[in-house]
Amino acid sequence: MADTTGGGIIARMLEQEGVETFFGIVDGTYLQLFAQCVELGMTMISPRHEAVAAHMAGAYARLTGKLGVCIASNGPGVANMLSGVAVENGEGNRVLLITSSRRTGIVYPDRGGAYQSFDQVKTIGAMSKGSEVVQSIERLPELLRRALRASFTGRPGVVHLDVPENLINGSCAEVPILAPHQYRRVVPIEPPPAQLERAAEMLVAARLPMLHVGSGVLHAGAFAELAKVAELLHAPVTTSWSARGVFSETSPLAWPMVHIEACTQLRNEADLVLCVGSELGETDWWGKAPYWAPPRKQRLIQVDIDDAALGRNRAVDLAILGDARVFLAALAERLAGRVDRARLDARRAAVGALAADKAKDRATLDAVLENRSAPMITAHVPAACRRIFDDDAVVIFDGGNSAVWGQSYTELRVPNTQLSTAHLGHLGAGVGQALGAAVARPDKQVYCMIGDGAMGFQMQEVETAIRHGLRVIFLVCADRQWGMVKINQKFALEPVKLSFKRALGPDHDRTINTDLGEIHWDRLAEAMGAHGERVSEPGELEPAIRRALAAERCAVIHCDVNANAHLLAPGLRWFKDMHQEPAGE
Ligand SMILES: Cc1ncc(C[n+]2csc(CCOP(=O)(O)OP(=O)(O)O)c2C)c(N)n1
Ligand SMILES: [Mg+2]
């Protein structure tokens, strides 16, 4: 057979997997990898920091349902990529990372003194789904197939393959390229019919069943199936933080996670929980009382594609291994017409009564919008965005108090239009996620609410957005502080407990290094060719967002927010409580 290179083999295998786009920064050590991919018609998107490539790949995977591919070059490139690996693996996004390493024979093990080299496999192995090095060209196809198999098995995350530079760039013989169905399962896992029937029986007989769903529903694309099951059962739906929005919040059956007390109330009232694609982790309070009814009062059906997630954090009554979409579709068929009228009426009455808590919380939150002083209360930023951006615009909440304000004032109307780092809470990751979202959905609006601390981590990517024509609109909440940490210090550092008002006053500011200097985010944006705006009154927001949209390129809106009010983001008390173990079973 004709000659190729290791890079050529990888490129053709990725082509077979349907990869059209990948993310990374160029380097000579893997020239043949990205060059062959481009040669085959794939698009290479190139940020200015490697971690951003991982975030772009993660967001792209989450929004398209495809594999997100990113690359990084040996030594410093991989070192820079590490935070991206931690975040994207934590968030459970299906990312394949291919890196170069130094030539075979001098590394693995390092003979001592190799340039731009560290044990990339050991390091990434500790923070991902899997990591392997290719030691010889003969084993390259087999090990890449193994990485691809792992990518599509169990909970998604980051899978890594390290390929020495001489194998990527050196010539070798062509090899037959297999189709994905020849080396991995390409049909979803079918739940056992007997378990499906048992689940249907339990859900029909329950007094007040509810659904709690995680990102498994999102990865399976089971949005319509979820809505159908919720309607058939008249069952309210809560979500994990990261799965927020998989169920349209325009539905009266949606309990958005921001209404924490209303969610807790519901989770205590329900006598049966159908948990689909969620590991019931810390942000779900581990499924424990007092945030949920204890197991003796509330039964649990758990459905997951990962055996390891079943019954891990809370005892289950029925553990089902299966794909979320297949399960929900088959369940809907079995449920049709089975819940009798009297039972449905009783559930309607119970759900209606519980909805009062949700409405009350919404009204309390919305009352804040009546304050139209300048600089603005942060709530105006997401509220104005929700009025202007399309329902199917993708919104990214970066982190800190800015994300809490954003989540609290954004109704998620179309499934899979929200990104955040719900597991890592990683400041600055939102910038790459937003750019990845714009690549994934070029015909949709994309906007990102981000703090002024977080934006400082990745601002340079505005130039990437301009270079690749990605029309992201960033709204930087400028309070000139590490806001979320400052509010914590305000209380934690006081020797005697002060009244709330005094603790917030400037005279008692004993905080350590929480204040930041002024950065003109709009001017920085303009310096990179983007559109810039600066606003401080609530009334200026809408015209500024409209001008940003009309600019038809990346835009940064510097939003001067009321720094003191910004500290008091809604529900922070609960966020603090979440760090403690719940008291109950
Ligand atoms: C990468 C990273 N470093 C540190 C932290 C810890 N941390 C959490 S919130 C926060 C302050 C956030 O400040 P900013 O981005 O300005 O948002 P604000 O809270 O002011 O809205 C910090 C430092 C983090 N979550 N991520
Ligand atoms: Mg800030």
Side-chain angles (χ1 to χ4, degrees), residues 489-498 508 510:
Q489 285 194 16
K490 283 255 185 200
F491 291 98
L493 289 178
E494 289 298 342
V496 261
K497 200 166 181 280
L498 292 172
H508 284 273
R510 294 157 174 261

mmCIF file of all heavy atoms in Angstrom, residues 489-498 508 510:
data_model
loop_
_atom_site.group_PDB
_atom_site.id
_atom_site.type_symbol
_atom_site.label_atom_id
_atom_site.label_comp_id
_atom_site.label_asym_id
_atom_site.label_seq_id
_atom_site.Cartn_x
_atom_site.Cartn_y
_atom_site.Cartn_z
ATOM 1 N N GLN A 489 -15.926 36.491 52.485
ATOM 2 C CA GLN A 489 -14.946 37.076 53.410
ATOM 3 C C GLN A 489 -15.580 38.107 54.330
ATOM 4 O O GLN A 489 -15.201 38.229 55.488
ATOM 5 C CB GLN A 489 -13.813 37.732 52.628
ATOM 6 C CG GLN A 489 -12.838 36.739 52.016
ATOM 7 C CD GLN A 489 -11.565 37.435 51.547
ATOM 8 O OE1 GLN A 489 -11.273 38.566 51.924
ATOM 9 N NE2 GLN A 489 -10.798 36.745 50.723
ATOM 10 N N LYS A 490 -16.533 38.856 53.781
ATOM 11 C CA LYS A 490 -17.183 39.911 54.577
ATOM 12 C C LYS A 490 -17.694 39.349 55.891
ATOM 13 O O LYS A 490 -17.672 40.017 56.910
ATOM 14 C CB LYS A 490 -18.363 40.497 53.795
ATOM 15 C CG LYS A 490 -17.953 41.460 52.712
ATOM 16 C CD LYS A 490 -18.249 42.880 53.154
ATOM 17 C CE LYS A 490 -17.969 43.881 52.059
ATOM 18 N NZ LYS A 490 -17.794 45.226 52.625
ATOM 19 N N PHE A 491 -18.201 38.127 55.841
ATOM 20 C CA PHE A 491 -18.728 37.521 57.057
ATOM 21 C C PHE A 491 -17.689 36.657 57.761
ATOM 22 O O PHE A 491 -17.529 36.723 58.973
ATOM 23 C CB PHE A 491 -19.999 36.718 56.740
ATOM 24 C CG PHE A 491 -21.143 37.625 56.357
ATOM 25 C CD1 PHE A 491 -21.454 37.844 55.021
ATOM 26 C CD2 PHE A 491 -21.857 38.302 57.329
ATOM 27 C CE1 PHE A 491 -22.472 38.710 54.675
ATOM 28 C CE2 PHE A 491 -22.885 39.175 56.978
ATOM 29 C CZ PHE A 491 -23.199 39.382 55.653
ATOM 30 N N ALA A 492 -16.949 35.874 56.994
ATOM 31 C CA ALA A 492 -16.024 34.910 57.613
ATOM 32 C C ALA A 492 -14.885 35.592 58.367
ATOM 33 O O ALA A 492 -14.352 35.041 59.329
ATOM 34 C CB ALA A 492 -15.454 33.983 56.549
ATOM 35 N N LEU A 493 -14.490 36.794 57.941
ATOM 36 C CA LEU A 493 -13.328 37.431 58.563
ATOM 37 C C LEU A 493 -13.672 38.329 59.745
ATOM 38 O O LEU A 493 -12.780 38.869 60.387
ATOM 39 C CB LEU A 493 -12.563 38.257 57.518
ATOM 40 C CG LEU A 493 -11.813 37.453 56.458
ATOM 41 C CD1 LEU A 493 -11.140 38.395 55.479
ATOM 42 C CD2 LEU A 493 -10.773 36.542 57.097
ATOM 43 N N GLU A 494 -14.974 38.519 60.005
ATOM 44 C CA GLU A 494 -15.336 39.384 61.120
ATOM 45 C C GLU A 494 -15.176 38.619 62.431
ATOM 46 O O GLU A 494 -15.733 37.541 62.592
ATOM 47 C CB GLU A 494 -16.792 39.864 60.969
ATOM 48 C CG GLU A 494 -16.974 40.873 59.850
ATOM 49 C CD GLU A 494 -16.178 42.151 60.063
ATOM 50 O OE1 GLU A 494 -15.748 42.413 61.212
ATOM 51 O OE2 GLU A 494 -15.965 42.876 59.077
ATOM 52 N N PRO A 495 -14.412 39.161 63.403
ATOM 53 C CA PRO A 495 -14.215 38.444 64.672
ATOM 54 C C PRO A 495 -15.508 38.310 65.466
ATOM 55 O O PRO A 495 -15.778 37.297 66.052
ATOM 56 C CB PRO A 495 -13.191 39.296 65.410
ATOM 57 C CG PRO A 495 -13.197 40.630 64.743
ATOM 58 C CD PRO A 495 -13.692 40.434 63.357
ATOM 59 N N VAL A 496 -16.296 39.371 65.484
ATOM 60 C CA VAL A 496 -17.602 39.279 66.162
ATOM 61 C C VAL A 496 -18.669 39.371 65.093
ATOM 62 O O VAL A 496 -18.476 40.052 64.085
ATOM 63 C CB VAL A 496 -17.826 40.443 67.159
ATOM 64 C CG1 VAL A 496 -17.529 40.037 68.570
ATOM 65 C CG2 VAL A 496 -17.067 41.678 66.745
ATOM 66 N N LYS A 497 -19.765 38.686 65.345
ATOM 67 C CA LYS A 497 -20.810 38.679 64.335
ATOM 68 C C LYS A 497 -21.416 40.084 64.248
ATOM 69 O O LYS A 497 -21.905 40.633 65.226
ATOM 70 C CB LYS A 497 -21.893 37.664 64.718
ATOM 71 C CG LYS A 497 -22.729 37.252 63.558
ATOM 72 C CD LYS A 497 -23.540 36.010 63.922
ATOM 73 C CE LYS A 497 -24.374 35.562 62.762
ATOM 74 N NZ LYS A 497 -25.574 36.300 62.580
ATOM 75 N N LEU A 498 -21.324 40.691 63.087
ATOM 76 C CA LEU A 498 -21.865 42.031 62.905
ATOM 77 C C LEU A 498 -23.259 41.943 62.312
ATOM 78 O O LEU A 498 -23.629 40.927 61.739
ATOM 79 C CB LEU A 498 -20.987 42.802 61.925
ATOM 80 C CG LEU A 498 -19.589 43.153 62.399
ATOM 81 C CD1 LEU A 498 -18.806 43.744 61.248
ATOM 82 C CD2 LEU A 498 -19.656 44.134 63.548
ATOM 83 N N HIS A 508 -16.378 48.411 57.429
ATOM 84 C CA HIS A 508 -16.000 47.113 57.989
ATOM 85 C C HIS A 508 -15.394 46.193 56.946
ATOM 86 O O HIS A 508 -15.459 44.990 57.062
ATOM 87 C CB HIS A 508 -17.218 46.463 58.664
ATOM 88 C CG HIS A 508 -17.492 47.090 59.975
ATOM 89 N ND1 HIS A 508 -16.888 46.680 61.133
ATOM 90 C CD2 HIS A 508 -18.268 48.150 60.300
ATOM 91 C CE1 HIS A 508 -17.289 47.442 62.122
ATOM 92 N NE2 HIS A 508 -18.130 48.346 61.651
ATOM 93 N N ARG A 510 -12.823 44.255 55.807
ATOM 94 C CA ARG A 510 -11.526 43.677 56.182
ATOM 95 C C ARG A 510 -11.109 42.632 55.162
ATOM 96 O O ARG A 510 -10.288 41.776 55.458
ATOM 97 C CB ARG A 510 -11.646 42.960 57.524
ATOM 98 C CG ARG A 510 -11.933 43.850 58.700
ATOM 99 C CD ARG A 510 -12.577 43.000 59.776
ATOM 100 N NE ARG A 510 -12.748 43.785 60.996
ATOM 101 C CZ ARG A 510 -11.911 43.716 62.021
ATOM 102 N NH1 ARG A 510 -10.878 42.921 61.993
ATOM 103 N NH2 ARG A 510 -12.121 44.437 63.090
#
